[in-house]
Amino acid sequence: MSFIVMGVSGCGKTTVGELLAKKLNLPFYDADDFHSQANIDKMAHGTPLTDEDRSGWLATLATKLGEWEKAGGAILACSALKEKYRDTLQSKSTEPLHWVFLDGPKELLLERISGRKGHYMHSNMLDSQLATLERPAYALRLSITSTPEELMNQIATALEKDPTVGTKPGV
């Protein structure tokens, strides 16, 4: 079983993903760790990535997700902003991915991004991410106004009630 904890920068993907990985005894990966240096440099200079910039990164992540599935699953923190990105991420896995969408108010996202130190994603790029975001109706959608621990527990409870929670129909 593999999960994508998704949303725009500052929503808590990494924190919630790490907690969920511990709870489910699965390895955790952060999609940011798979960006090319060119992508990192571009974002560090405040330039949003294009679909072309993201294509190789998404293809790598899809391959990794297929490998992690064969090894028993994983948790991946990844923005996965567009449906076509999510389709690419799903493409190398034989089982449906579970999507957890962390959503919340722009003000809270800005506050979190502004408080980060040493991260290449700057608050001035949040508007670009929000404009690009296509909210998936099939994902387990949770509010970032809850604590990371509450979010992790909400995911675990939803999964206990329905093992297919957050999967895309027809996959």
Side-chain angles (χ1 to χ4, degrees):
M1 186 177 303
S2 293
F3 290 78
I4 309 283
V5 180
M6 62 161 289
V8 298
S9 187
C11 72
K13 297 180 293 288
T14 299
T15 302
V16 172
E18 288 173 338
L19 289 171
L20 185 61
K22 286 179 186 161
K23 172 94 173 166
L24 300 179
N25 197 30
L26 290 170
F28 171 79
Y29 300 95
D30 192 320
D32 286 348
D33 295 337
F34 295 87
H35 271 299
S36 68
Q37 189 60 50
N39 282 1
I40 292 169
D41 292 345
K42 192 171 184 178
M43 289 183 285
H45 287 95
T47 305
L49 298 180
T50 65
D51 286 354
E52 185 178 328
D53 294 328
R54 289 184 177 100
S55 64
W57 172 67
L58 290 166
T60 296
L61 292 171
T63 299
K64 292 291 186 186
L65 283 160
E67 292 170 5
W68 300 331
E69 177 187 74
K70 289 177 185 147
I75 310 293
L76 176 67
C78 180
S79 54
L81 299 174
K82 290 184 179 182
E83 189 62 32
K84 69 181 184 177
Y85 302 167
R86 294 187 286 273
D87 288 343
T88 298
L89 291 167
Q90 176 68 63
S91 67
K92 303 292 183 185
S93 299
T94 58
E95 296 293 321
L97 297 170
H98 294 262
W99 298 91
V100 177
F101 173 37
L102 302 181
D103 199 11
K106 181 179 177 181
E107 298 75 25
L108 180 54
L109 294 164
L110 282 170
E111 180 183 311
R112 289 178 175 185
I113 293 169
S114 297
R116 284 192 207 171
K117 303 293 180 225
H119 194 277
Y120 54 78
M121 180 67 181
H122 299 288
S123 59
N124 64 338
M125 293 174 51
L126 180 60
D127 285 335
S128 167
Q129 284 198 332
L130 290 169
T132 301
L133 178 63
E134 297 170 0
R135 290 172 167 80
Y138 51 86
L140 176 60
R141 185 175 178 176
L142 301 174
S143 173
I144 64 168
T145 57
S146 297
T147 68
E149 291 78 13
E150 290 169 337
L151 291 168
M152 185 268 303
N153 286 327
Q154 290 170 23
I155 297 164
T157 299
L159 191 59
E160 287 172 14
K161 289 180 183 176
D162 178 5
T164 66
V165 70
T167 58
K168 186 175 179 179
V171 173

